[in-house]
Amino acid sequence: GAVMTLPLILAASAIFASAFAAAAPQASSTSGDEAAEDLSLPGLNVSLGFDSFPERQTCDGEDLSPPVEISGLDESAGSIAIILEDPDAPRGTFVHWLIWNLVPSASIPEGIPPLEEVSAPEAVQGRNGFGDVGYSGPCPPAGISHRYVLKVFALDSKLDLPPGSGRSELEAAMVGRVLQSGEAVATYGR
C-alpha cells in the first residue's frame, strides 16, 4: 500500500503546485480585468453650455467658475474631480482650476467661491497656475484666442488630499481611482 501512496502524494502536490502557480498570475489578471471593466464604463458627457467663455467667467469680468453639466455618471462613482487647463498658454499648459471631492451630481453650480474648502457644493480646491486657490478664469495675453479644456473625473471614492494641493498632487492621488472621465473645450480671446 505504501508504494501506491507515494506517487499519489507527488501527483497531488504537483497538482497543488500548478494550481498555486496558476493562481498568482490569475490574481493579477483579475485586477487587470477589473481595471478593464472600469475603463469599459461609458465616458462622461461634459458640457459648459458655451463654446466661448462669457466675460463673467474670465478675469475681464466677475471671474466666476462656470456651471458644468455632467451626464452618464455611473452610480458607483464616489466623488468628482475637475481640472481646467489652458494648453495654449505661452509657457506650456496652465492650470486655471483644481477642485475635488465634489459629490457626484449632474450639475455643478456657477460661482464656487475661491476657498480651500467650500460647503455648497461641498468640495476641496487646489492651487492654480496663478498661485491662487480655486477658480481663476481665462486671462490670455492679447491676440490669439486660447482653448480651455475642462476635464471631469468620476472617482471611486473621495480623495484624502490636503486643500491647496497642486495639479501633480491631485493627479498622483487619482491614480487607479478614475472610473470615468470626459471633457469639454471652450475658447477665449482678448
Side-chain angles (χ1 to χ4, degrees):
V3 182
M4 275 306 294
T5 53
L6 185 61
L8 281 174
I9 290 165
L10 288 173
S13 65
I15 289 164
F16 180 74
S18 67
F20 189 74
Q26 207 174 330
S28 62
S29 74
T30 306
S31 61
D33 291 347
E34 279 167 20
E37 264 172 47
D38 292 346
L39 295 174
S40 72
L41 282 173
L44 299 174
N45 292 317
V46 180
S47 169
L48 284 162
F50 50 78
D51 295 322
S52 176
F53 272 82
E55 196 171 273
R56 61 192 270 121
Q57 256 109 36
T58 74
C59 68
D60 295 320
E62 297 154 74
D63 219 4
L64 298 173
S65 68
V68 182
E69 298 294 324
I70 304 166
S71 60
L73 266 172
D74 191 80
E75 59 191 27
S76 63
S79 74
I80 287 176
I82 293 175
I83 297 175
L84 176 67
E85 60 188 16
D86 171 5
D88 300 327
R91 296 188 187 87
T93 299
F94 189 92
V95 174
H96 283 267
W97 193 22
L98 301 171
I99 184 168
W100 61 91
N101 289 358
L102 283 155
V103 172
S105 167
S107 63
I108 292 162
E110 177 183 63
I112 294 176
L115 305 170
E116 288 190 341
E117 297 185 62
V118 290
S119 54
E122 201 174 293
V124 179
Q125 297 188 101
R127 203 164 290 286
N128 60 42
F130 294 105
D132 299 325
V133 165
Y135 176 85
S136 292
C139 203
I144 206 159
S145 69
H146 287 200
R147 292 168 300 148
Y148 296 87
V149 183
L150 183 103
K151 298 179 176 182
V152 177
F153 303 90
L155 308 176
D156 60 6
S157 62
K158 288 190 169 182
L159 299 176
D160 184 17
L161 185 66
S165 294
R167 183 197 178 127
S168 55
E169 290 92 344
L170 174 57
E171 288 183 335
M174 290 196 300
V175 169
R177 313 285 292 278
V178 178
L179 301 176
Q180 297 170 283
S181 63
E183 60 182 47
V185 180
T187 59
Y188 187 67
R190 302 162 84 192

